[in-house]
């Protein structure tokens, strides 16, 4: 399909208007422990749908993708049925005006959600996410917190929390890092994970905290991004 034709089939643009589209640079990470090799598709500049770049571990390579009417949309198939254009839509996210570089965090939505995946976008610019800082996504429904070097950070459920540059590190740029969950009893915060983590001015950390069926304590996934800004 040509650009406008595809957008009209998807029901994203009124037939009397020209498509309101723009491109952004996207790097993506899929966090779906039960379907880690899921294939997702995104609109590209040539007007068709093609593979969303994903990596087995870490962030994907940069990719120029199309945003339509202020939304990024992901699909389960490269082809579109003209009679059911939105049947293969699996995730959608609002893209703020002015956002040119983004990291897409893609993870399973709640069971009662309309679409199977939720997408959270992080501003990938040097101003918004500088080298040396970290971002933590709390995918659980729990009130969590972390201590990293000299910093204590509260981690709200279903939110991304910023962690400033950690300066209290050893000669290998490592700092003791502790993760806590809020408790109704005493003590009010209970440790559920503890590990040394590396905090370097030459990298950025993405930390994903998630739950798994049958496990009482949340689990951690750390992604280190060494693409300097």
């Amino acid at each position: 399909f040509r650009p406008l034709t595809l957008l009209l089939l998807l029901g994203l643009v009124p037939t009397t208007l020209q498509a309101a589209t723009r491109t952004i640079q996207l790097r993506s990470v899929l966090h779906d422990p039960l379907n880690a090799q899921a294939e997702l598709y995104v609109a590209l500049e040539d007007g068709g749908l093609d593979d969303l770049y994903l990596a087995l571990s870490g962030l994907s390579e940069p990719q120029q993708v199309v945003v339509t009417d202020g939304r990024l949309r992901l699909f389960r198939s490269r082809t579109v049925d003209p009679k059911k254009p939105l049947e293969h839509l699996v995730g959608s996210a609002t893209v703020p005006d002015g956002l040119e570089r983004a990291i897409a965090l893609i993870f399973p939505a709640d069971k009662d959600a309309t679409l199977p995946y939720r997408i959270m976008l992080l501003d990938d610019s040097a101003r918004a996410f500088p080298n040396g800082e970290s971002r933590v996504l709390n995918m659980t429904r729990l009130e969590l917190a972390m201590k990293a070097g000299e910093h204590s950070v509260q981690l709200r459920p279903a939110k991304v929390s910023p962690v400033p540059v950690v300066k209290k590190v050893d000669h290998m740029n490592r700092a003791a890092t502790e993760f806590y969950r809020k408790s109704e009893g005493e003590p009010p915060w209970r440790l559920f994970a503890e590990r040394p983590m590396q905090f370097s001015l030459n990298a950025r950390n993405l930390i994903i905290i998630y739950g798994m069926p049958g496990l009482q304590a949340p689990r951690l996934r750390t992604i280190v991004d060494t693409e300097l800004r």
Side-chain angles (χ1 to χ4, degrees):
F1 297 110
R2 302 306 302 163
L4 183 56
T5 304
L6 174 61
L7 296 169
L8 291 172
L9 284 174
L10 295 177
L12 307 179
V13 182
T15 56
T16 57
L17 299 178
Q18 187 174 356
T21 65
R22 64 185 180 96
T23 60
I24 62 170
Q25 178 181 292
L26 191 70
R27 293 193 299 158
S28 304
V29 57
L30 172 66
H31 183 80
D32 186 354
L34 300 181
N35 190 16
Q37 296 185 347
E39 295 181 349
L40 302 174
Y41 300 88
V42 67
L44 303 183
E45 291 180 282
D46 65 3
L49 298 178
D50 208 345
D51 298 64
L52 177 73
Y53 290 175
L54 293 170
L56 290 178
S57 62
L59 285 168
S60 72
E61 292 295 317
Q63 181 179 23
Q64 294 294 322
V65 303
V66 170
V67 174
T68 305
D69 289 344
R71 298 196 68 81
L72 172 71
R73 293 174 171 88
L74 299 181
F75 300 85
R76 71 172 81 249
S77 172
R78 185 181 284 109
T79 59
V80 175
D81 181 351
K83 297 180 180 179
K84 301 177 181 179
L86 295 182
E87 186 178 63
H88 298 294
L89 183 68
V90 294
S92 177
T94 299
V95 181
D97 292 340
L99 183 64
E100 298 179 351
R101 300 164 59 109
I103 295 173
L105 302 176
I106 307 161
F107 52 95
D110 293 336
K111 292 182 179 180
D112 57 352
T114 304
L115 299 174
Y117 283 107
R118 182 175 177 184
I119 307 168
M120 297 185 73
L121 296 177
L122 303 183
D123 189 333
D124 197 23
S125 67
R127 175 190 57 78
F129 193 176
N131 295 329
E133 292 194 359
S134 302
R135 299 292 182 267
V136 184
L137 169 60
N138 177 6
M139 286 178 53
T140 76
R141 298 175 181 270
L142 305 172
E143 290 283 350
L144 305 177
M146 70 178 288
K147 291 183 179 179
E150 68 274 25
H151 300 301
S152 296
V153 180
Q154 194 160 0
L155 309 174
R156 299 289 188 185
K159 300 290 184 182
V160 175
S161 301
V163 180
V165 173
V166 176
K167 298 179 180 179
K168 190 178 178 180
V169 295
D170 63 17
H171 66 286
M172 298 182 66
N173 292 320
R174 294 180 306 183
T177 309
E178 302 170 342
F179 294 87
Y180 297 84
R181 60 184 295 177
K182 195 170 185 179
S183 170
E184 295 182 357
E186 293 293 336
W189 293 92
R190 295 183 182 272
L191 182 72
F192 70 85
E194 181 179 16
R195 63 187 61 180
M197 295 186 66
Q198 194 166 45
F199 297 93
S200 170
L201 292 176
N202 295 321
R204 305 179 303 173
N205 293 329
L206 282 171
I207 303 170
I208 300 174
I209 306 177
Y210 62 100
M212 289 287 289
L215 296 179
Q216 293 184 347
R219 303 187 68 175
L220 304 178
R221 177 185 178 187
T222 301
I223 298 169
V224 180
D225 177 31
T226 56
E227 182 176 316
L228 297 181
R229 294 292 176 266

